[in-house]
């Protein structure tokens, strides 16, 4: 459904001849079902890796969640606004960047935090809290930054946000119960659940490319560069702030990933309610490419981290082997010297 926001944006756009594109409904339905399944499996797997005490610790000393919320709802919206100022995007495209920048954290941050040896309990806490806080902070940020471009009020999908919360909290609690009652089983659930989620993300990405293949015809180098730099900027700023506040390395990783990843589904909900996407596809450019690049960046970080970790473990193993050989040689030498010091019996 179109509203006054679209009227304003299109009247100030550099191009009013946006082509009409229609998305296959069956493919879109399959995509939505897959996204729900992926989210539930991911949250159960992450819940099975954390305990009640870890969550309680995050709320008892909420330094990490506070830093995450600051970066999520202060740094990231400002980040999107500054990129709009730098590149002077046309109004429809700029609205897409503003929307994705004001969204809460995405659930896939928990998965990538797990693979990067980050603090999973902190990541899950930040994701849950950010979704709750976004009910107030998201419309506030959109009002602040949209007013600078004279854009009208966008429609916030409170129902979709509440649904996201429901699909995160119960599965996490279920995973935590499994860890509490069946510790050995929880290890396998986390391992195979996270691996399954990674596979589903890849499939989901392929479906996205098929559904929105026309986006590649509408994009420009400015959009690609901004979509690549925005999540990286959030990750770097989040890590630096967490490091300055003397958080542990695992906490710094969790905060960095949480700050760089935005909730793609919430952005889609806002756009669907506020704009006619079949006629104005350019509004989808930033949410689409931001979601694509944030996943690719995190995948790349996980691969690099895996090889570095493997190399360090190999070096550590070689060092331990050398130490063991030296210790064995010293012990052997010691016993040999003791034997030689004993008087010989004729």
């Amino acid at each position: 459904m179109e509203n006054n926001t679209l009227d304003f944006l299109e009247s100030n756009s550099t191009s009013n001849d946006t082509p009409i594109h229609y998305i296959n409904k069956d493919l879109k339905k399959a995509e939505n079902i897959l996204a729900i399944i992926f989210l539930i499996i991911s949250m159960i797997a992450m819940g099975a890796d954390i305990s009640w005490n870890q969550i309680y610790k995050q709320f008892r000393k909420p330094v990490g969640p506070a830093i995450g919320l600051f970066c999520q709802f202060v740094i990231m919206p400002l980040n999107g606004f500054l990129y709009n100022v730098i590149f002077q995007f046309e109004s429809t495209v700029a609205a897409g960047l503003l929307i994705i920048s004001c969204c809460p954290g995405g659930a896939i941050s928990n998965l990538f935090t797990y693979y990067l040896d980050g603090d999973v309990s902190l990541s899950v806490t930040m994701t849950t809290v950010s979704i709750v806080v976004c009910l107030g902070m998201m419309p506030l940020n959109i009002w602040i930054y949209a007013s600078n471009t004279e854009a009208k009020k966008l429609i916030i999908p409170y129902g979709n946000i509440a649904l996201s919360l429901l699909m995160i909290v119960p599965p996490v609690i279920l995973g935590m119960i499994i860890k509490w009652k069946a510790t050995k089983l929880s290890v396998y659930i986390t391992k195979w659940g996270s691996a399954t989620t990674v596979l589903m993300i890849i499939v989901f990405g392929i479906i996205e490319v098929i559904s929105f293949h026309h986006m590649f015809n509408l994009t420009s180098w400015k959009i690609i560069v901004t979509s690549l730099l925005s999540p990286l900027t959030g990750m770097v700023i989040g890590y630096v702030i967490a490091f300055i506040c003397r958080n542990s390395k695992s906490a710094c990783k969790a905060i960095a990933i949480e700050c760089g990843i935005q909730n793609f589904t919430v952005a889609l909900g806002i756009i669907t309610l506020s704009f006619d996407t079949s006629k104005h596809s350019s509004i989808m450019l930033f949410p689409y490419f931001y979601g694509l690049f944030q996943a690719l960046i995190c995948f790349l970080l996980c691969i690099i981290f895996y090889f570095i970790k493997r190399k360090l473990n190999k070096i550590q193993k070689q060092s331990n082997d050398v130490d063991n050989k030296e210790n064995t040689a010293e012990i052997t030498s010691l016993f040999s010297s003791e034997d030689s010091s004993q008087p010989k019996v004729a």
Side-chain angles (χ1 to χ4, degrees):
M1 160 173 104
E2 287 187 73
N3 61 8
N4 291 333
T5 306
L6 184 59
D7 295 336
F8 168 79
L9 293 173
E10 291 305 314
S11 66
N12 288 276
S13 177
T14 56
S15 175
N16 293 322
D17 298 320
T18 306
I20 297 175
H21 295 280
Y22 296 98
I23 300 172
N24 186 290
K25 292 182 179 180
D26 293 333
L27 187 60
K28 186 63 179 175
K29 183 178 180 180
E31 184 182 38
N32 293 336
I33 295 173
L34 183 63
I36 293 173
I37 295 174
F38 135 70
L39 182 59
I40 292 174
I41 293 177
S42 176
M43 291 300 98
I44 292 175
M46 295 301 99
D49 191 56
I50 60 181
S51 64
W52 306 99
N53 291 333
Q54 290 174 315
I55 296 295
Y56 173 73
K57 181 182 177 181
Q58 302 301 337
F59 283 103
R60 188 165 59 90
K61 294 182 178 180
V63 177
I67 296 172
L69 289 176
F70 173 78
C71 293
Q72 195 75 61
F73 296 111
V74 177
I75 299 298
M76 293 308 293
L78 179 61
N79 178 54
F81 172 75
L82 291 177
Y83 276 114
N84 265 330
V85 171
I86 292 171
F87 289 112
Q88 293 294 307
F89 295 110
E90 63 179 78
S91 54
T92 309
V93 177
L97 178 56
L98 172 63
I99 291 169
I100 191 67
S101 298
C102 294
C103 283
I108 62 171
S109 62
N110 312 141
L111 179 70
F112 289 121
T113 298
Y114 167 76
Y115 277 110
L116 289 170
D117 286 352
D119 191 333
V120 177
S121 63
L122 174 59
S123 180
V124 172
T125 302
M126 287 191 295
T127 300
T128 305
V129 173
S130 70
I131 291 176
V132 175
V133 174
C134 86
L135 295 173
M137 289 300 300
M138 194 173 181
L140 176 62
N141 275 317
I142 289 178
W143 177 77
I144 291 173
Y145 293 104
S147 63
N148 292 328
T149 58
E150 299 180 13
K152 303 296 182 358
K153 184 179 180 181
L154 297 170
I155 301 174
I156 308 299
Y158 292 105
N160 291 357
I161 295 173
L163 183 60
S164 298
L165 193 62
L166 288 175
M167 286 192 296
I168 288 177
V169 177
V172 167
I173 293 176
L174 176 59
M176 293 171 68
I177 292 174
I178 294 173
K179 181 178 178 64
W180 177 35
K181 294 295 184 179
T183 306
K184 293 183 180 179
L185 178 61
S186 68
V187 176
Y188 292 100
I189 289 177
T190 300
K191 180 179 179 180
W192 293 107
S194 58
T196 302
T197 305
V198 170
L199 179 61
M200 294 182 75
I201 291 176
I202 295 174
V203 174
F204 186 81
I206 294 173
I207 294 176
E208 283 288 299
V209 172
I210 295 174
S211 300
F212 299 100
H213 62 277
H214 58 274
M215 293 294 182
F216 294 95
N217 298 325
L218 302 175
T219 191
S220 65
W221 69 268
K222 292 182 180 181
I223 294 174
I224 297 296
V225 169
T226 303
S227 300
L228 179 63
L229 292 181
S230 289
L232 284 174
T233 303
M235 291 177 189
V236 171
I237 293 177
Y239 192 96
V240 170
I241 294 177
F243 181 79
I244 292 174
C245 294
R246 299 183 179 181
N247 285 268
S248 63
K249 286 185 178 180
S250 60
C252 289
K253 293 176 186 177
I255 293 172
I257 297 299
E258 186 71 22
C259 295
I261 290 183
Q262 302 296 89
N263 198 313
F264 177 73
T265 57
V266 172
L268 289 182
I270 293 176
I271 291 172
T272 302
L273 291 175
S274 303
F275 305 99
D276 185 354
T277 56
S278 65
K279 296 181 180 179
H280 307 281
S281 297
S282 58
I283 190 70
M284 294 286 292
L285 287 174
F286 269 117
Y288 175 78
F289 284 105
Y290 192 107
L292 182 64
F293 278 116
Q294 70 181 11
L296 290 176
I297 290 169
C298 288
F299 268 119
L300 182 60
L301 288 176
C302 289
I303 292 172
I304 294 173
F305 179 75
Y306 169 78
F307 283 106
I308 292 176
K309 185 178 178 180
R310 185 178 179 182
K311 183 67 175 179
L312 291 176
N313 289 338
K314 186 177 180 180
I315 294 173
Q316 183 65 35
K317 183 179 179 181
Q318 292 175 347
S319 178
N320 291 337
D321 291 341
V322 171
D323 291 340
N324 290 335
K325 289 180 180 179
E326 291 178 351
N327 292 335
T328 302
E330 289 178 0
I331 293 173
T332 303
S333 175
L334 178 62
F335 279 109
S336 298
S337 62
E338 289 179 353
D339 292 339
S340 62
S341 64
Q342 296 293 330
K344 295 182 179 180
V345 180

